[in-house]
Amino acid sequence: MTDRSLLLSSTWRDRVAAAAADLRARGIGGRVGLVLGSGLGNVVDRIERPTAVPYGEIPGFHTPSVAEHHGQLVAGLAAGVPVIALQGRLHPYEGLAPEETLLPVAVLAALGVETVILTNAAGGLDPHFLPGDLMVIRDQIDFHWRDPLRGLLADPLGAGAAVGRVPGPLRVYDPGQTQALVEAAAAAGVPVRQGVYASVWGPSYEPKVEITVLRRLHCDAVGMSTAPEAMLLHALGVRVVGLSCITNPSRETGQPELSHQDVVETGARVRERVADVLLAALPRLVGDPG
Ligand code: HPA
């Protein structure tokens, strides 16, 4: 594996390295990283022999300001696979710069994980989606309209980094690992769809006219996270898969008002199913069919 720290800009590299060194000194390591979205944090209850470190104790980490995002890293074994879970995510809408929101996933990469499963709560744009449906992310569109990795990578215009940043047909989500996730869900008896995730700024939920536009652009689900994380991890050579929990239908199809509490409650209702899928997937993602 190339030294991933060399892919980071010199200003960010030391910060990422300091946090990773602190965690390594606590014995934290793992093969698969898990990023747990709104309402899905309880997946950590399935981790055996857990070591939990509050974000506040990790050098440079912010504590999430969003309710239900606990802000701790939990490492241990899940389905026999060493994992490092981020229970609590930092979002651009909290007013944080990318070097803050992306630090936790950069640290997962620095700790040497091979794959990261990004999970999130999302609104369904596909009119067939119902609250509680799961969507494996086949691809994404990042509607932040600015490169979230600006200034974070070494030599962004240099040949090596450019090759890493603009991968062939822009397949940020690893096809083989994505297929493994779909097959694991089937094996766990949990139906999943596949689709395109649109990442927007928030924090307000989008008005109807934006929903109409996103649908016309063939987006199947919309949320406020994940795409920048996926781009960074991919640029650092980490294989990425994504799983959205559809917490609400898009309001164009009738839901009058939506609150963060609605999103969290639906997440809580289906999080055991999400955990079943993740646990079934983990051995497959590391090449051990279990
Ligand atoms: N829009 C944006 N983000 C979301 C939604 C939504 O409808 N539901 C959950 N996260």
Side-chain angles (χ1 to χ4, degrees), residues 121-124 200 204-206 222-224 245 247-251 258 263:
V200 299
S204 46
Y205 295 110
E206 32 308 301
V222 56
M224 304 172 194
C245 170
T247 49
N248 54 283
S250 79
R251 286 181 293 166
L258 172 68
V263 168

Side-chain angles (χ1 to χ4, degrees), residues 82-213:
V83 297
I84 310 173
L86 297 176
Q87 186 187 24
R89 170 183 256 137
L90 301 163
H91 298 82
Y93 64 70
E94 293 173 71
L96 298 170
E99 57 265 40
E100 314 298 335
T101 55
L102 295 176
L103 184 67
V105 285
V107 168
L108 288 182
L111 289 171
V113 298
E114 299 153 34
T115 295
V116 169
I117 311 178
L118 299 170
T119 68
N120 58 45
L125 296 167
D126 179 327
H128 297 106
F129 277 144
L130 294 172
D133 282 351
L134 300 184
M135 183 190 90
V136 170
I137 304 177
R138 197 180 58 237
D139 216 332
Q140 67 181 23
I141 303 182
D142 181 21
F143 286 98
H144 293 98
W145 296 132
R146 56 161 281 191
D147 185 344
L149 307 189
R150 190 169 55 182
L152 300 186
L153 298 180
D155 188 21
L157 299 178
V163 169
R165 289 294 313 286
V166 188
L170 276 175
R171 293 211 71 156
V172 171
Y173 293 86
D174 185 277
Q177 297 272 290
T178 299
Q179 183 59 24
L181 181 60
V182 170
E183 287 169 11
V190 178
V192 292
R193 305 270 302 278
Q194 292 187 55
V196 174
Y197 174 85
S199 180
V200 299
W201 279 108
S204 46
Y205 295 110
E206 32 308 301
K208 289 183 179 185
V209 65
E210 290 183 16
I211 292 167
T212 306
V213 169

